[in-house]
Amino acid sequence: MRTPVIAGNWKLFKTIGEATALVNELKPLVARTRNVEIVVAPVFTALSRVFDAVAGSNINLAAQNCYWEEEGAFTGEVAPKLLKDAGCSHVIIGHSERRQYFGESDATVNRKAKAAIAAGLTAIVCVGETLAERESEKTFSIIESQIESGLEGLSAEVLANVIIAYEPVWAIGTGKTASDEQAQEVHSFIRHLLARLFGQAAADAVRILYGGSVKPDNVKGLMAKPDIDGALVGGASLKAESFAAIVNFGL
Ligand code: PEP
């Protein structure tokens, strides 16, 4: 059995005060939740204070990005070990907004994933096709190359520290969700691909999250699909009530 993961990506929202207020509101709403890995990903500047706020609770902390070097003359970058130091257990890598606006490529995703895992973090590796790619029937070839290149050189053992997030770009922040069937079709494809690359046992253990306008009213249908193991949530994670309703999808 794979433990579901519900991760909130707060993107470039929330001051330190707003971020700590949000987790303080969230904590009692999810305090009794069992068997769900709950993750929140604030901006870098709020990580340490949010970590203090979630200490002792069932909420885990993620960063939204990292660099692959440990230290050095890399102005403006943040190393995985510094994320660990700030209290992170997870880091999101290769989000489509980073690919679109900041030149993130499968090669940089690969370097970041390796560095994050080496530092003891769980890497949430994002993949997904654009609308043009879906319409020209390139979805599966795009996902295949993103996974093959993004995870190149990782071993089956190390895959235990990877979570895949399938996020069709056309569904992020648009209010358009992939249908449960569309999502399951790609998730199943990803699991088969992982089995080919890393073996069946490793593939069966990997959590594959869906992301793209997940809301309290569509999470149940998605989570009912056999290869959907959780959600990466943007907009709906910015309010404690809606994020808690998603976390508590099974209640
Ligand atoms: C995301 O940021 O990863 C995301 C899926 O956003 P939204 O839920 O707002 O579509």
Side-chain angles (χ1 to χ4, degrees), residues 155-222:
S155 66
E157 291 70 47
V158 155
L159 203 64
N161 303 109
V162 173
I163 294 171
I164 304 288
Y166 167 58
E167 301 205 300
V169 178
W170 48 272
I172 296 180
T174 59
K176 285 186 201 154
T177 320
S179 69
D180 305 343
E181 291 71 28
Q182 278 175 321
Q184 166 58 24
E185 187 183 30
V186 178
H187 282 229
S188 164
F189 173 81
I190 292 172
R191 201 172 307 282
H192 281 102
L193 175 60
L194 293 174
R196 177 156 65 74
L197 297 172
F198 298 99
Q200 193 64 52
D204 283 342
V206 174
R207 275 83 58 83
I208 307 174
L209 316 186
Y210 170 76
S213 300
V214 174
K215 305 273 184 294
D217 61 1
N218 60 20
V219 66
K220 264 192 183 28
L222 289 160

Side-chain angles (χ1 to χ4, degrees), residues 17 19 62 85 92 103 105 112 127 139 154 170-171 180 187 193 209 215 227 233:
D85 187 44
I92 299 170
S105 67
K112 291 180 177 190
V127 298
T139 297
L154 299 189
W170 48 272
D180 305 343
H187 282 229
L193 175 60
L209 316 186
K215 305 273 184 294
D227 289 297
V233 185

Side-chain angles (χ1 to χ4, degrees), residues 32-242:
R32 267 169 294 179
T33 308
R34 298 284 172 271
N35 297 323
V36 177
E37 198 167 306
I38 306 167
V39 183
V40 296
V43 296
F44 285 131
T45 49
L47 285 172
S48 189
R49 292 278 288 279
V50 170
F51 181 62
D52 291 341
V54 299
S57 78
N58 55 349
I59 301 172
N60 299 283
L61 190 67
Q64 300 173 17
N65 181 33
C66 68
Y67 193 51
W68 54 79
E69 296 289 350
E70 274 196 26
E71 60 183 13
F74 304 106
T75 303
E77 293 296 337
V78 180
K81 74 171 184 186
L82 301 184
L83 299 179
K84 274 292 269 191
D85 187 44
C88 291
S89 50
H90 297 65
V91 57
I92 299 170
I93 293 175
H95 190 280
S96 65
E97 286 153 14
R98 296 214 54 84
R99 293 178 189 257
Q100 194 177 346
Y101 305 126
F102 303 102
E104 194 93 43
S105 67
D106 293 334
T108 60
V109 167
N110 184 247
R111 295 185 80 167
K112 291 180 177 190
K114 284 177 174 159
I117 294 164
L121 294 163
T122 295
I124 303 175
V125 175
C126 302
V127 298
E129 81 287 1
T130 62
L131 186 58
E133 287 161 350
R134 176 160 280 264
E135 285 175 344
S136 55
E137 299 187 353
K138 292 199 188 114
T139 297
F140 296 110
S141 61
I142 291 291
I143 300 295
E144 183 168 10
S145 67
Q146 287 176 338
I147 298 245
E148 276 183 358
S149 312
L151 304 185
E152 195 187 325
L154 299 189
S155 66
E157 291 70 47
V158 155
L159 203 64
N161 303 109
V162 173
I163 294 171
I164 304 288
Y166 167 58
E167 301 205 300
V169 178
W170 48 272
I172 296 180
T174 59
K176 285 186 201 154
T177 320
S179 69
D180 305 343
E181 291 71 28
Q182 278 175 321
Q184 166 58 24
E185 187 183 30
V186 178
H187 282 229
S188 164
F189 173 81
I190 292 172
R191 201 172 307 282
H192 281 102
L193 175 60
L194 293 174
R196 177 156 65 74
L197 297 172
F198 298 99
Q200 193 64 52
D204 283 342
V206 174
R207 275 83 58 83
I208 307 174
L209 316 186
Y210 170 76
S213 300
V214 174
K215 305 273 184 294
D217 61 1
N218 60 20
V219 66
K220 264 192 183 28
L222 289 160
M223 291 304 294
K225 292 294 176 192
D227 289 297
I228 300 182
D229 307 311
L232 182 53
V233 185
S237 71
L238 294 171
K239 291 215 159 64
E241 204 180 316
S242 52

